[in-house]
Amino acid sequence: GQSLEQPSEVTAVEGAIVQINCTYQTSGFYGLSWYQQHDGGAPTFLSYNALDGLEETGRFSSFLSRSDSYGYLLLQELQMKDSASYFCAVLYSSASKIIFGSGTRLSIRP
Amino acid sequence: DAGITQSPRYKITETGRQVTLMCHQTWSHSYMFWYRQDLGHGLRLIYYSAAADITDKGEVPDGYVVSRSKTENFPLTLESATRSQTSVYFCASSESISDSAEGYTFGSGTRLTVV
């Protein structure tokens, strides 16, 4: 089947940098997305990578390596409001739908 | 107001009852999706629709029915609710299946409890 793997929890310090990794099955891969979800809220779209390389949007960056079936979300200058769950999501061309990972809960300490 | 709205926000129902969750979007997006979210499982796709009158199964469709007679509405019906269907349900919409620059936009969710 099609599955994604990401760490279940990550802890970091305010002001620091944190990287959340995501690995996926290669067959039929089309693109990798990242979503943020605060407790009790809805997922919100952060970024999308279809090609290898780094995409930067303010303090957040997303990276993709298709040859390694691997991507990551990089959060810089962490703020307390960044405490949330982060989901990677993959579109497989054979499925015509997006599959989400189980999410990484990011906790930030002062 | 433009956006995607779900109703009700909270629902408690009894086992065996039929219940319908509503989803309405104002952008005229072609694609609409229903996901359920449970601890440890992330978001799992129940059904999706590429356009009015076109629907398809996702990862966990059993026990659910959808319809899309109008582009803006995509209701989800639990034909005979079971306790295992207790979950938070999210509706989402997108102009493109490829989730490119804009991504999916999610509604605020419906927290359903089956007792």
Side-chain angles (χ1 to χ4, degrees), chain B residues 55-112:
Chain B
T55 62
D56 207 349
K57 296 179 180 179
E59 302 168 83
V60 289
D62 293 344
Y64 303 95
V65 174
V66 293
S67 62
R68 192 152 178 223
S69 57
K70 294 183 178 181
T71 300
E72 61 267 29
N73 296 323
F74 191 38
L76 176 74
T77 298
L78 287 68
E79 296 181 294
S80 178
T82 65
R83 289 195 178 90
S84 64
Q85 293 177 308
T86 293
S87 186
V88 180
Y89 291 84
F90 286 101
C91 178
S93 73
S94 174
E95 182 52 37
S96 168
I97 193 70
S98 67
D99 182 37
S100 54
E102 292 79 32
Y104 288 6
T105 302
F106 283 81
S108 299
T110 295
R111 184 175 295 273
L112 176 68

Side-chain angles (χ1 to χ4, degrees), chain A residues 19-33:
Chain A
Q19 178 174 312
I20 299 173
N21 299 321
C22 176
T23 58
Y24 58 87
Q25 291 186 308
T26 303
S27 179
F29 173 83
Y30 192 88
L32 180 70
S33 302

Side-chain angles (χ1 to χ4, degrees), chain A residues 19-106:
Chain A
Q19 178 174 312
I20 299 173
N21 299 321
C22 176
T23 58
Y24 58 87
Q25 291 186 308
T26 303
S27 179
F29 173 83
Y30 192 88
L32 180 70
S33 302
W34 289 93
Y35 286 78
Q36 178 192 61
Q37 184 181 30
H38 288 99
D39 286 347
T44 56
F45 174 74
L46 292 176
S47 67
Y48 175 72
N49 295 70
L51 303 175
D52 285 357
L54 191 68
E55 296 279 345
E56 298 180 66
T57 307
R59 295 186 297 113
F60 292 7
S61 302
S62 57
F63 172 82
L64 177 66
S65 169
R66 296 176 72 103
S67 60
D68 295 324
S69 299
Y70 162 76
Y72 65 73
L73 180 69
L74 189 73
L75 295 80
Q76 302 181 72
E77 302 173 16
L78 285 171
Q79 302 175 9
M80 297 303 293
K81 68 178 182 179
D82 297 330
S83 293
S85 292
Y86 293 85
F87 294 88
C88 59
V90 170
L91 175 67
Y92 289 99
S93 57
S94 61
S96 297
K97 55 185 177 288
I98 284 181
I99 305 299
F100 282 79
S102 297
T104 298
R105 186 172 186 86
L106 174 61

